[in-house]
Amino acid sequence: MRIGMVISGGDVTGINNFVFQMSRMTQADMVLFNGGIPGLLENRHQEISQRDLVDYAITSIPVMQSGRTTRKLIRPEYELIAKHLKSLRIDVLIMAGGDGSLQFLHTLSEFGVNCFGVGMTIDNDVFGSDYTIGFSTACEQVLKEVSKLRNTGRALTGRVFMVELLGGYCGELTLQSAIKSNADFALIPECQIPPQELAERITQRLSTQNSVVILCSEGYTREYSPGFQGAIDTLIKQIEPLIGVRIRKTIIGYGLRSGDPTCEEIYQGTIMASEVARCIQSGMRNKAVIINGSNRPIPIDLISMKKRLVDTEGHHYKLAKQLHIL
């Protein structure tokens, strides 16, 4: 068997282990396509051995390049991709990415290509899935940053820190990172806090502790467009006059995509690969594999894939409310 692998959208480190596990569980020849969907069009591929994959599996060094495209492909381009895959004797194409990437697969499957999709985005915003590859490692990067800010806030007390994270439309990364790092507030698109109220809460918190750490999604102020950074600049101008304290800002940005994958990242990628391998070996076609609320991987139809927002009735949202993070 020959399996083609492509990643589309933002890069994450946890994908290496998924590719390795697919190779190990299926004993297939792995063909990697560099550059995402444009790489498929240009047939930019390379074969990689299991010997190399095992060495890269738990590292942050990319085994393949991702890529983006902002336009919808036309029929001749889908036909060209299908032709490339057939000439390479690819039996299954697996794409890792967000909702747009998985919708691309649904269309490609109509041209005779057996397609499987897996959620891979640090925003963790794939519909129906409670976990996407890259999310745990991104949360870990936030934890490390908050820990450093707490240290400097203890050395010189009275500081207020605001940290901008990726997540233009979905606040899941900011929400869960705030809970896991014991940040003071999570500013997410799904839950707006009036500036005056936020200022009062910051002042109250600052009266009982050495520092205040605020995590902010890049889409919180509704200014977001792809590539935008600076939501915290807007907020700082609103909040500083109300609290009378200078706010120190940090934009972590693309560093969230890197770092050594966490144990949770490795585990989630492994169970996701195990379900994809099971589906392929049982003869299933054209599925996406998601991780459900019970932490079990399940296959769903590709057509079902779309973006999701924070579940305001979900456990994490309710816990954040209880902790007065939101």
Side-chain angles (χ1 to χ4, degrees):
M1 177 184 291
R2 287 171 65 81
I3 294 177
M5 183 76 212
V6 61
I7 56 179
S8 181
D11 53 304
V12 305
T13 56
I15 194 63
N16 288 4
N17 177 62
F18 175 83
V19 179
F20 164 63
Q21 298 296 353
M22 285 304 308
S23 170
R24 180 164 72 167
M25 292 178 186
T26 62
Q27 291 299 302
D29 296 328
M30 299 299 295
V31 181
L32 310 182
F33 289 87
N34 289 309
I37 294 172
L40 286 172
L41 275 168
E42 298 166 13
N43 203 18
R44 286 190 272 138
H45 67 275
Q46 67 184 68
E47 296 198 26
I48 189 167
S49 68
Q50 192 173 124
R51 178 186 293 270
D52 287 331
L53 283 172
V54 70
D55 292 338
Y56 284 110
I58 58 173
T59 73
S60 58
I61 303 171
V63 295
M64 57 195 297
Q65 298 170 354
S66 182
R68 296 184 187 274
T69 180
T70 57
R71 65 179 183 85
K72 291 188 175 182
L73 272 59
I74 58 177
R75 184 179 181 86
E77 291 174 313
Y78 281 105
E79 291 174 340
L80 178 60
I81 291 173
K83 181 180 178 181
H84 288 329
L85 296 173
K86 185 176 180 180
S87 68
L88 291 170
R89 296 178 289 108
I90 300 295
D91 299 291
V92 178
L93 178 69
I94 301 173
M95 175 176 278
D99 61 308
S101 308
L102 302 177
Q103 289 170 16
F104 158 82
L105 282 184
H106 172 63
T107 303
L108 182 61
S109 69
E110 297 174 351
F111 292 83
V113 179
N114 187 12
C115 298
F116 279 81
V118 293
M120 186 205 77
T121 163
I122 65 169
D123 295 344
N124 196 16
D125 61 353
V126 172
F127 182 77
S129 184
D130 275 47
Y131 189 87
T132 54
I133 296 172
F135 182 68
S136 174
T137 301
C139 288
E140 186 73 15
Q141 299 308 307
V142 180
L143 172 63
K144 292 176 181 177
E145 185 67 24
V146 171
S147 177
K148 287 185 281 187
L149 292 176
R150 290 293 191 200
N151 288 343
T152 194
R154 184 171 179 82
L156 183 57
T157 61
R159 284 174 166 170
V160 178
F161 303 100
M162 189 174 290
V163 183
E164 183 175 306
L165 309 182
L166 299 183
Y169 305 104
C170 175
E172 193 73 36
L173 174 63
T174 300
L175 176 66
Q176 291 200 36
S177 294
I179 294 171
K180 294 169 182 177
S181 67
N182 281 335
D184 294 291
F185 301 104
L187 306 181
I188 62 175
E190 297 88 346
C191 181
Q192 300 286 312
I193 304 175
Q196 184 64 48
E197 179 187 336
L198 178 59
E200 291 171 0
R201 293 171 65 181
I202 292 171
T203 300
Q204 190 281 325
R205 196 69 62 93
L206 202 55
S207 69
T208 61
Q209 55 192 55
N210 293 323
S211 64
V212 171
V213 178
I214 307 162
L215 303 186
C216 177
S217 296
E218 60 185 340
Y220 178 74
T221 57
R222 311 296 189 188
E223 301 170 84
Y224 178 78
S225 60
F228 170 81
Q229 288 182 307
I232 58 175
D233 292 332
T234 299
L235 274 171
I236 288 172
K237 289 178 182 177
Q238 295 174 345
I239 302 300
E240 273 188 343
L242 299 175
I243 64 175
V245 176
R246 177 188 164 198
I247 299 176
R248 274 77 171 180
K249 68 176 183 178
T250 300
I251 298 179
I252 302 182
Y254 300 103
L256 291 168
R257 300 190 182 283
S258 190
D260 294 332
T262 64
C263 292
E264 180 70 8
E265 194 80 78
I266 299 298
Y267 173 72
Q268 296 288 353
T270 299
I271 64 173
M272 200 176 289
S274 72
E275 182 63 11
V276 175
R278 185 193 70 81
C279 290
I280 292 171
Q281 292 163 348
S282 65
M284 289 189 191
R285 296 180 62 86
N286 306 321
K287 298 290 183 183
V289 170
I290 64 169
I291 304 294
N292 68 11
S294 300
N295 204 36
R296 294 179 60 87
I298 58 172
I300 64 173
D301 294 333
L302 286 171
I303 197 172
S304 304
M305 303 311 296
K306 58 184 179 181
K307 193 181 291 291
R308 75 169 175 88
L309 302 178
V310 167
D311 180 7
T312 55
E313 296 298 321
H315 165 70
H316 290 107
Y317 189 90
K318 291 179 179 178
L319 179 58
K321 281 287 190 180
Q322 183 182 4
L323 295 169
H324 305 292
I325 288 173
L326 294 176

